[in-house]
Amino acid sequence: MATLHEFLANQKSESLNQLKEFLRIPSVSADQKYKKEVRRAAEWLTGRLNELEVDTKIYETPGHPIVYGEYHVGDEYPTVLFYGHYDVQPPDPLDLWETEPFNPVVKKTDIHPDGAVFARGACDDKGQLFMQVKAVEALINSDLLHCNLKFLYEGEEEVGSENLEKFCIEHTDLLTADVILISDTAILSNDTPTITTGLRGLSYVEVKVTGPKVDLHSGVYGGGVANPINVLAQMIAQMHDDQGRITIPGFYDDVEVVSNEEREAMNKAPFDLEKYKEGIGVQEIWGEEGYTTLERTSIRPTLDVNGIWGGYIGEGAKTVLPSEAQAKISMRLVPNQDPDQITELFVDYFKSIAPDTVTVEVNPHHGGRPAVTPIDSVAYHAASKAMTKAFGKEPIPLRGGGSIPIVAMFKEVLGLDSILMGFGLDSDAIHSPNEHFGLFNFYTGIETIAEFLIQYGKDKQGS
Amino acid sequence: MATLHEFLANQKSESLNQLKEFLRIPSVSADQKYKKEVRRAAEWLTGRLNELEVDTKIYETPGHPIVYGEYHVGDEYPTVLFYGHYDVQPPDPLDLWETEPFNPVVKKTDIHPDGAVFARGACDDKGQLFMQVKAVEALINSDLLHCNLKFLYEGEEEVGSENLEKFCIEHTDLLTADVILISDTAILSNDTPTITTGLRGLSYVEVKVTGPKVDLHSGVYGGGVANPINVLAQMIAQMHDDQGRITIPGFYDDVEVVSNEEREAMNKAPFDLEKYKEGIGVQEIWGEEGYTTLERTSIRPTLDVNGIWGGYIGEGAKTVLPSEAQAKISMRLVPNQDPDQITELFVDYFKSIAPDTVTVEVNPHHGGRPAVTPIDSVAYHAASKAMTKAFGKEPIPLRGGGSIPIVAMFKEVLGLDSILMGFGLDSDAIHSPNEHFGLFNFYTGIETIAEFLIQYGKDKQGS
């Protein structure tokens, strides 16, 4: 039998080929026309788990299916529940992709000199989910698996995990475990491993501003009738004040006040503002006054327009005064903010600032609660040791800006804490054209997860 | 030989059938994929003129062709130059059309109890242009034509008449005439005939606001990087003040000050605000403080966003912080405002209000100068008498809100005044889904133009 490291080394090329297979399936959960492809991804994943003799089953939901699996080693061992998602974001805008989003290609980049695989879902979350599967394979083959395992892989994370909570509520017995391991976050850099210890929540709404009942000629009516695009622009402009603060009354009422000590510690993390600006190609950053960029993107809530459309957007000039204008607006939330309540505050405020000249409609999409994870647990220490081993450096605990709403749900419904040990980089362009995942990150991630299971199995039995 | 009125009565059904043929050609000038269809419309029109023995020729331009024709009666008669355009606006948004935009259908409406023909271009401007052709046919057939005629029909009006000015400059000799008759405007109602005596000019720009060089994840970067949609919304919001005035420095400097007498006269035109609001389906109107709706839409300049887009606009939720946001913005101008200068003021202002966090680009589309036409000319009096005869009521001179930039160009290049005698209604939904043109308006328009030519031939010879 091969040692763990021999196995990991030999496994690399097959792991990459399998990942590419997985990435070729366009499992876009937000778009109904990909519904069959989402299922195909679930079936592909089931196939890989079955190959490891994981007892796997596809659970149907009103939306996309849940892949669930179990691997029992012995009653004396702790149980780790893996979570990940096999669905992906829509690939738009397609014209900005350098290679096809569902035709994975390995290319070297400055940040990934060993190469990175480019495809939608490479980092978020197929590549990261698949690290878990490959880590388990390596441990089984080197006879080092001393944890019982459960696998919970959903196909609706990118559309708000609509059916996962119900599944958890209905299957609390099935899902008993000691800890959850989620691989769907980023590290600060390949030289600076980090473990995510907090995530922002989310409130997402779609708004429509309607003026005249049909599109009008802007020459005949212009100046005499409110233009819904101009009105929507004014309403959006009113959502922030001059200090970059959100103006919705009550929005900050429940925001967790982070202590000065914690803020100081947070700001000691290596962060180069010039490199940050260069990386994303902006001359100046922006944000809430009184906070650093690291704070603005982790411990402070935000409001962003994610999409806007109205009137004539084709080629050439059309002098229309449109009937309506629409936008998708999301708010990232921090601990103690409740997404349902924030959505309500948004709806009230948005309607209150609408002039009489228009009618407005607000349709909430999914939301998600913010979460903070403990850093004094057996699992956290095992994760820290595993990362130290694989990266040669002790990881820094760091709050993330993104949202994985199910972290709070798992805590509430299953009573379980999660370890957020992901291996992406912020520059991996998740949710963007040319999404990619570094091969170094992929292979080191597999190794880290394997080390974590070894460490946790050991520590938990001893605890 | 039939009398004029016998001929007009007998001609009706053939006229409508021919108009429908004309409307079936999707001559959308703004969209390159319809280029051949625009030419087909030019050729169809040439065919109809040739049938009347008008000496017709298609002139090529770098864009769409110009149809030119001449019909000489005798050197002792005055010459009327007809102008119209055979191109149409894009039909978007298609899903709001009740019938196909290029499959003309006659339906009755409350405002058009005799029926109206529904199709893109029905009123703007194929239906109105074709009235000129049919009036000429009626006069030739009843031996009443005592004007020499020239026909100038372009295929680029909806994209700014880009090649017409050059054509006029190069063909000033060809285009000598006594007056121009343009049928591309509206009357106040079928009970209230009006002649348009002024038109607003146009400045049309496309703006792009770019933030980060690629789309970013709104969770990872949200709150730390300026969102170009939010920025564009703020910039648009800044284009008007609380009084509904446009904030561009210098924008109003050259605006013609209309005397109180003229404003009073203008506001005596029948106008029912409640009906106006009901007609377009708004609870409240909007506009520059201190002016009535009639004034706001005729003697005052405006700024409208005609289209906006950015970020994710597909189905579902995508949490993107987009790289860019774009908008099409047009300004309607009034006498003494110069479109090139206004465009320059816009560009300067737009760049000046852009924060450091983004870069902005402004691309001007076509512009057009505002125009006012004299009401004390032989031609105006002939038009007024013709309308009185056909409608049974003397027409009111009225300033229009739309733009026909070539009116100012004709004056400058050819030294000719235009008579703006159109027969559409504001409710005919030009530039909108379900554009239509009343059959009463179509037939009465033909009659009025015929009466105008009779009257003008008589008056001009006697003058």
Side-chain angles (χ1 to χ4, degrees), chain A residues 89 200 215 219 316 328 431-432, chain B residues 200 215 219 316 318 328 432:
Chain A
Q89 279 276 319
R200 292 195 280 191
D215 286 2
K328 292 175 196 266
H431 293 208
S432 300
Chain B
R200 291 196 283 192
D215 286 2
K318 185 162 145 63
K328 293 175 195 264
S432 300

Side-chain angles (χ1 to χ4, degrees), chain A residues 365-435:
Chain A
H365 277 268
H366 65 89
R369 273 185 293 280
V372 178
T373 61
I375 59 171
D376 55 1
S377 65
V378 173
Y380 183 84
H381 288 297
S384 181
K385 281 182 205 164
M387 263 199 154
T388 307
K389 221 165 178 175
F391 283 83
K393 265 186 193 174
E394 194 179 338
I396 300 168
L398 204 69
R399 294 257 198 118
S403 305
I404 310 185
I406 42 85
V407 173
M409 187 273 287
F410 285 150
K411 181 71 183 172
E412 198 180 303
V413 175
L414 304 175
L416 293 176
D417 283 319
S418 297
I419 297 293
L420 296 162
M421 194 167 66
F423 299 90
L425 295 182
D426 279 356
S427 56
D428 285 347
I430 66 169
H431 293 208
S432 300
N434 306 309
E435 175 177 351

